[in-house]
């Protein structure tokens, strides 16, 4: 986290002026001068007194003065103190919650749900939305089928939860007939249906190791093929991004070089995945301001994330990337409720 002074180091009027300055800068995107603070802070202070307080806040590293303006803007430390101690989060009204709930219908397949959640986060906040595709360790396997595609290529069909279907193409070490593949599927369906994928894989690996010498080649091949299918499904790491173009609307992010690097990061997804994976075990909403994310490409951004759960287990994280002057009071509840609604939609399939 950014190194910020404790809120107790600030007088009541310094807290009031800092809050007013941050809120004004978030709203207008322009450095805030003493006259503006005098009009909007609701304090009976002279311009000279306000300037003295601003000088103290600047010395504490909470605000800074751009060279081109007499006004001041919040620093990352100023935003952090504001978010931690001065922010009043506004709950979404019932109509907004209902709109989000309708767009995250349990009737949608997982891929469509994730895409809808990412698009909603972007559309509602006018920033970049992102959703970590749910990890599938806790998905319940209902059926497994193998379909021969060519001499050694097999289509694996995994039916999970109520109506979730995942397809994988695997390369075999030898050619198998359609009849052999059906026998393999029957063998596996008798043994692993109804269990979550993590348990299925552990069981298959255990059986492969323990009874290799006493098992006929077809059954051993069935276990090996089943393990490959489940491992391939568990390894499907991805993040769905939406609305990156919204970041072009913020002047502080429009440096050509900054944008190039940021959009490269969006395209490669590696750093975004890394950031979301940092939050997979976090409780509730997490807020990273500037360098707090640990990813240099996001030094001029803020990231708000929240995990979502299925069956009592965290399976993914979603969030918003925007400028540091984002309206935190609105973005935080949007991210929080979207995570809860996405988890509820996925849970309804168990």
């Amino acid at each position: 986290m950014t190194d910020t002074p404790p809120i107790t180091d600030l007088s009541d009027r310094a807290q009031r002026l800092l809050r007013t300055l941050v809120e004004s800068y978030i709203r207008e995107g322009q450095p805030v001068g003493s006259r503006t603070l005098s009009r909007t802070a609701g304090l009976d202070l002279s311009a000279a007194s306000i300037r003295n307080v601003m000088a103290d806040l600047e010395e504490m590293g909470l605000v800074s003065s751009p060279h081109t303006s007499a006004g001041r803007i919040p620093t990352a430390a100023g935003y952090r103190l504001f978010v931690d101690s001065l922010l009043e989060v506004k709950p979404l009204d019932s109509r907004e919650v209902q709109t989000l709930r309708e767009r995250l219908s349990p009737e949608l397949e997982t891929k469509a749900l994730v895409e809808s959640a990412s698009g909603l986060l972007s559309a509602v906040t006018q920033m970049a939305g992102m959703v970590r595709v749910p990890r599938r360790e806790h998905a319940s396997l209902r059926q497994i089928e193998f379909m021969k595609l060519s001499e050694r290529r097999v289509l694996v069909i995994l039916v999970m939860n109520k109506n979730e279907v995942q397809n994988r193409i695997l390369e075999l070490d030898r050619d198998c007939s359609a009849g052999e593949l059906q026998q393999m599927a029957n063998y596996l369906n008798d043994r692993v249906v109804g269990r979550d994928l993590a348990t299925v894989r552990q069981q298959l690996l255990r059986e492969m190791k323990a009874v290799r010498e006493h098992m006929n080649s077809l059954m051993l091949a069935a276990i090996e093929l089943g393990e490959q299918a489940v491992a391939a499904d568990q390894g499907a790491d991805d993040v769905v991004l939406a609305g990156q173009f919204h970041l072009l609307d913020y002047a502080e992010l429009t440096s050509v070089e900054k944008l190039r690097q940021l959009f490269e990061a969006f395209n490669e997804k590696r750093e975004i995945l890394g950031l979301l994976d940092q939050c997979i075990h976090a409780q509730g909403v997490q807020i990273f301001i500037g360098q707090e994310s640990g990813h240099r490409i996001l030094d001029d951004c803020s990231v708000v994330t929240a995990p979502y759960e299925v069956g009592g287990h965290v399976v993914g994280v979603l969030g918003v990337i925007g400028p540091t002057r984002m309206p935190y009071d609105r973005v935080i509840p949007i991210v929080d409720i979207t995570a809860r609604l996405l988890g509820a939609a996925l849970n309804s399939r168990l």
Side-chain angles (χ1 to χ4, degrees):
M1 293 294 180
T2 304
D3 186 17
T4 59
I7 189 67
T8 52
D9 285 0
L10 273 66
S11 66
D12 288 345
R13 68 179 184 178
Q15 292 180 35
R16 183 78 165 267
L17 288 171
L18 178 62
R19 176 192 290 156
T20 303
L21 183 145
V22 173
E23 290 174 345
S24 177
Y25 186 65
I26 287 174
R27 187 171 56 251
E28 306 294 339
Q30 298 295 326
V32 184
S34 299
R35 287 186 179 180
T36 299
L37 289 172
S38 179
R39 288 196 310 270
T40 58
L43 294 172
D44 186 17
L45 292 175
S46 67
S49 296
I50 291 175
R51 283 194 294 271
N52 288 337
V53 175
M54 287 296 104
D56 291 341
L57 293 175
E58 188 162 2
E59 187 174 340
M60 297 172 75
L62 299 174
V63 301
S64 64
S65 302
H67 297 301
T68 57
S69 171
R72 289 177 171 85
I73 65 174
T75 63
Y79 281 122
R80 172 48 63 190
L81 191 145
F82 170 77
V83 167
D84 289 347
S85 305
L86 302 174
L87 179 66
E88 295 180 8
V89 174
K90 303 172 183 176
L92 301 185
D93 66 42
S94 57
R95 289 173 299 176
E96 290 177 307
V97 174
Q98 183 59 31
T99 298
L100 292 172
R101 183 177 284 113
E102 290 171 357
R103 292 284 300 275
L104 295 172
S105 167
E107 302 301 317
L108 297 173
E109 293 185 354
T110 296
K111 181 180 179 183
L113 261 176
V114 168
E115 290 175 347
S116 183
S118 182
L120 275 173
L121 287 168
S122 173
V124 176
T125 65
Q126 292 295 289
M127 299 175 204
M130 56 185 178
V131 181
R132 176 72 154 80
V133 173
R135 294 180 172 181
R136 311 206 57 83
E137 288 94 334
H138 304 289
S140 178
L141 182 64
R142 294 184 60 203
Q143 186 176 356
I144 184 168
E145 296 294 339
F146 303 125
M147 181 180 297
K148 186 180 178 69
L149 296 178
S150 61
E151 186 174 333
R152 294 192 178 184
R153 296 174 77 237
V154 170
L155 174 67
V156 182
I157 304 170
L158 299 174
V159 182
M160 292 168 290
N161 298 332
K162 289 183 180 178
N163 57 359
E164 186 87 16
V165 178
Q166 292 286 322
N167 297 325
R168 296 285 182 269
I169 296 177
L170 298 179
E171 298 282 344
L172 306 184
D173 293 333
R174 66 178 181 85
D175 185 23
C176 290
S177 68
E180 288 177 317
L181 291 174
Q182 185 60 57
Q183 289 182 59
M184 292 181 189
N186 292 341
Y187 176 82
L188 292 171
N189 284 322
D190 286 341
R191 301 178 71 80
V192 301
V193 165
R195 303 183 183 184
D196 64 75
L197 293 184
T199 301
V200 168
R201 190 180 185 201
Q202 290 170 4
Q203 176 185 339
L204 294 175
L205 288 171
R206 191 165 54 246
E207 291 186 6
M208 196 186 308
K209 181 178 180 181
V211 298
R212 182 180 292 272
E213 306 85 27
H214 311 291
M215 188 174 293
N216 68 51
S217 60
L218 187 61
M219 295 305 99
L220 181 58
I223 288 178
E224 291 177 341
L225 185 54
E227 192 280 325
Q228 287 181 55
V230 174
D233 185 81
Q234 286 182 296
D237 285 348
D238 199 5
V239 57
V240 176
L241 295 163
Q244 300 94 307
F245 62 88
H246 284 309
L247 301 184
L248 297 172
D249 296 333
Y250 300 94
E252 57 268 49
L253 299 178
T254 53
S255 154
V256 173
E257 182 59 20
K258 284 181 185 177
L259 282 175
R260 184 187 65 78
Q261 294 178 357
L262 192 56
F263 276 77
E264 279 183 2
F266 284 138
N267 187 54
E268 294 178 4
K269 297 183 180 179
R270 185 175 60 252
E271 288 183 282
I272 306 300
L273 272 170
L275 176 60
L276 292 177
D277 283 345
Q278 285 177 233
C279 307
I280 201 81
H281 300 298
Q283 295 292 321
V285 174
Q286 299 293 301
I287 303 164
F288 301 90
I289 299 172
Q291 297 179 355
E292 292 175 354
S293 72
H295 296 272
R296 186 180 58 81
I297 192 60
L298 297 174
D299 282 356
D300 296 311
C301 299
S302 282
V303 183
V304 180
T305 71
Y308 60 94
E309 297 183 358
V310 175
H313 302 279
V314 173
V315 297
V317 179
L318 54 73
V320 165
I321 297 175
T324 52
R325 67 176 184 93
M326 68 168 59
Y328 297 94
D329 60 336
R330 179 161 172 77
V331 172
I332 290 170
I334 288 170
V335 169
D336 184 37
I337 193 65
T338 302
R340 295 174 188 272
L341 291 174
L342 177 58
L346 293 169
N347 263 304
S348 68
R349 303 172 178 196
L350 298 180

